[in-house]
């Protein structure tokens, strides 16, 4: 009998983000349903920004939604002055707030910069693994390789995965 964790991992590993498309408008109804089910979190008003960045860089917008769900409950819990509901540690400093201040000037700026990161050369090897096999398990390794947070991340991803089914 497989363990609950291995069954969860298999479920999450079967879903693949769609990379390389130039039109991600099909995800808008999925995101609207997700955000409605989550009581319209702050990132709801940026759905079009996610889709625009996805179209521009040919990166599935649901990637950043998955990250923001884990890192900030879709924009509900993060230092607002950082414009960083994605938990990206790109700034300089000792405190997490300083590291979260990655130079973003707005939420749309963060969406654009972090979507682009998924195609930019010179990103860590883990991003190459994700690009080759764009599963939620590989996303977790690429974006947040902290093994102590792995189970929480995967549980959070499993919570939103039904909204990503077509």
């Amino acid at each position: 009998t497989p363990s609950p964790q291995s069954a969860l991992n298999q479920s999450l590993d079967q879903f693949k983000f769609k990379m390389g498309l130039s039109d991600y408008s099909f995800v808008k109804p999925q995101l609207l349903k997700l955000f409605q089910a989550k009581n319209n979190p702050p990132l709801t008003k940026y759905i079009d920004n996610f889709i625009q960045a996805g179209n521009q860089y040919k990166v599935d917008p649901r990637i950043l939604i998955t990250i923001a769900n884990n890192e900030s409950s879709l924009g509900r819990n993060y230092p607002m002055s950082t414009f960083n509901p994605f938990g990206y540690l790109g700034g300089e400093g000792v405190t997490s707030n300083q590291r979260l201040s990655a130079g973003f000037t707005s939420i749309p700026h963060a969406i654009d910069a972090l979507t682009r990161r998924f195609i930019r050369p010179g990103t860590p090897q883990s991003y190459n693994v994700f690009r080759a096999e764009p599963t939620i398990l590989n996303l977790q390794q690429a974006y947040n390789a902290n093994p102590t947070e792995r189970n929480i991340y995967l549980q959070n991803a499993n919570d939103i995965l039904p909204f990503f089914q077509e």
Side-chain angles (χ1 to χ4, degrees):
T1 302
S3 72
Q5 186 61 49
S6 67
L8 171 63
N9 286 354
Q10 182 178 9
S11 166
L12 292 172
D13 208 34
Q14 289 174 353
F15 174 80
K16 292 196 177 18
F17 293 101
K18 296 182 184 313
M19 301 294 280
L21 304 180
S22 56
D23 181 7
Y24 285 98
S25 59
F26 70 93
V27 306
K28 188 169 185 173
Q30 296 173 7
L31 298 182
L32 288 169
K33 285 180 189 171
L34 168 64
F35 288 161
Q36 183 177 21
K38 298 284 187 177
N39 298 314
N40 297 310
L43 291 182
T44 303
K45 63 184 169 188
Y46 299 102
I47 287 176
D48 290 333
N49 297 94
F50 285 104
I51 294 170
Q52 179 183 353
N55 291 346
Q56 182 175 353
Y57 300 113
K58 299 181 176 7
V59 172
D60 193 327
R62 298 173 297 180
I63 293 168
L64 260 66
I65 299 297
T66 302
I67 292 168
N69 183 61
N70 189 61
E71 296 291 341
S72 69
S73 297
L74 298 170
R76 285 194 171 97
N77 184 21
Y78 72 100
M80 299 294 176
S81 64
T82 66
F83 302 105
N84 186 0
F86 308 103
Y88 177 69
L89 296 176
E92 301 293 326
V94 177
T95 70
S96 61
N97 276 12
Q98 289 168 331
R99 293 192 311 276
L100 284 169
S101 295
F104 303 133
T105 57
S106 65
I107 298 292
H109 178 219
I111 291 168
D112 184 81
L114 294 177
T115 302
R116 186 173 2 104
R117 184 169 171 76
F118 280 90
I119 62 162
R120 186 172 52 218
T123 53
Q125 176 60 28
S126 58
Y127 278 70
N128 295 334
V129 171
F130 172 75
R131 284 190 292 268
E133 191 71 20
T135 65
I136 289 177
L137 293 174
N138 285 340
L139 174 62
Q140 192 274 337
Q141 288 295 327
Y143 197 80
N144 182 1
N146 182 340
T148 61
E149 296 177 357
R150 184 173 178 84
N151 286 340
I152 293 168
Y153 187 98
L154 297 177
Q155 288 289 344
N156 287 342
N158 196 51
D159 181 46
I160 65 172
L161 189 59
F163 295 95
F164 294 169
Q165 307 301 325
E166 295 181 35

